[in-house]
Amino acid sequence: QSVLTQPPSVSGAPGQRVTMSCAGTSSNIGAGYDVHWYQQLPGTAPKLLIYGNINRPSGVPDRFSGSQSGTSASLAITGLQAEDEADYYCQSYDNSLTAWVFGGGTKLTVL
Amino acid sequence: EVQLVESGGGLVQPGGSLRLSCAASGFTVSTNYMTWVRQAPGKGLQWVSVIYSGGLTYYADSVKGRFTFSRDNSKNTLYLQMNSLKPEDTAVYYCARGLVEMATIYFDYWGQGTLVTVSS
């Protein structure tokens, strides 16, 4: 059971917009710790997608955006492409566990 | 160019030991936060350990007392000494560089991972 809760799967057709959530608690996201997002393509290492809730590293398309409110965060992908099919993980810090924590991951399927 | 290359994984019996290495290039490990993250087969990511630039280390409860994170500044290399290994430690182990943002650390560069299998 992950400290951060993500839906196991989401799907969308090419060109559509999808969102995925990351639910935390008052000891992590709700305590003001930023949320970061990673994309993991099949058989590869995770890649940083969003840091500090809303920031995109250089090279990440602006189709990807992040938001945060209260004890949860969201990742949105617009103009869905086949190459976006991957697992997506949120990550933050939990002060009651004194640990960096990940969500269980969301598998995105492009229909 | 920043690169992280892990090595040292393999098959080990329960109760055994293994030392993973992570060779870094393109930056200096001693001035950065560095971390190990693992991923069991078919499962999600799990944070394992972090070493601060000052040398302070933290561990997940599941590995505390069994794993030791260290670095060799002269070789710009990180190590994860894993003792008393259990079948549930079976995973791909990634090393990653950490950057600080609003009291959290996020991981901007990752290695390709090394597989550790604990089985008799």
Side-chain angles (χ1 to χ4, degrees):
Chain A
Q1 194 78 349
S2 301
V3 174
L4 303 178
T5 301
Q6 297 182 250
S9 63
V10 297
S11 62
Q16 283 189 334
R17 178 181 186 268
V18 296
T19 63
M20 57 190 77
S21 60
C22 174
T25 67
S26 58
S27 62
N28 41 69
I29 300 174
Y33 296 106
D34 280 1
V35 177
H36 320 293
W37 292 87
Y38 303 87
Q39 177 193 60
Q40 186 175 33
L41 298 170
T44 69
K47 170 193 167 185
L48 179 66
L49 200 62
I50 297 287
Y51 67 94
N53 297 325
I54 61 171
N55 303 294
R56 280 176 288 105
S58 173
V60 173
D62 59 6
R63 302 186 296 107
F64 295 89
S65 64
S67 64
Q68 180 270 330
S69 178
T71 59
S72 65
S74 289
L75 174 71
I77 309 173
T78 59
L80 206 56
Q81 299 179 4
E83 66 207 49
D84 299 333
E85 192 160 283
D87 294 322
Y88 293 83
Y89 295 91
C90 60
Q91 175 247 319
S92 187
Y93 178 78
D94 191 287
N95 61 21
S96 68
L97 297 173
T98 319
W100 287 263
V101 291
F102 288 92
T106 296
K107 182 176 183 60
L108 170 64
T109 300
V110 180
L111 302 170
Chain B
E1 179 193 6
V2 171
Q3 272 199 318
L4 295 164
V5 179
E6 301 96 335
S7 60
L11 175 63
V12 61
Q13 291 190 338
S17 298
L18 210 57
R19 189 179 82 156
L20 305 183
S21 300
C22 174
S25 58
F27 73 103
T28 302
V29 297
S30 63
T31 60
N32 282 270
Y33 295 81
M34 300 299 300
T35 196
W36 289 95
V37 173
R38 68 185 181 184
Q39 186 170 33
K43 302 296 183 182
L45 302 174
Q46 181 189 24
W47 171 74
V48 173
S49 180
V50 68
I51 188 167
Y52 284 10
S53 53
L56 201 60
T57 53
Y58 291 96
Y59 300 92
D61 285 345
S62 57
V63 307
K64 202 172 295 183
R66 300 188 297 123
F67 289 13
T68 303
F69 194 172
S70 63
R71 68 189 181 205
D72 184 330
N73 296 341
S74 66
K75 295 182 179 179
N76 211 33
T77 298
L78 308 163
Y79 302 100
L80 186 67
Q81 178 66 44
M82 305 185 295
N83 299 329
S84 303
L85 282 162
K86 306 174 182 181
E88 52 264 40
D89 294 319
T90 294
V92 173
Y93 285 73
Y94 297 100
C95 68
R97 186 177 77 169
L99 296 179
V100 177
E101 175 78 13
M102 287 295 290
T104 70
I105 299 174
Y106 64 94
F107 312 119
D108 66 338
Y109 284 97
W110 297 64
Q112 84 288 350
T114 186
L115 176 62
V116 172
T117 303
V118 184
S119 175
S120 54

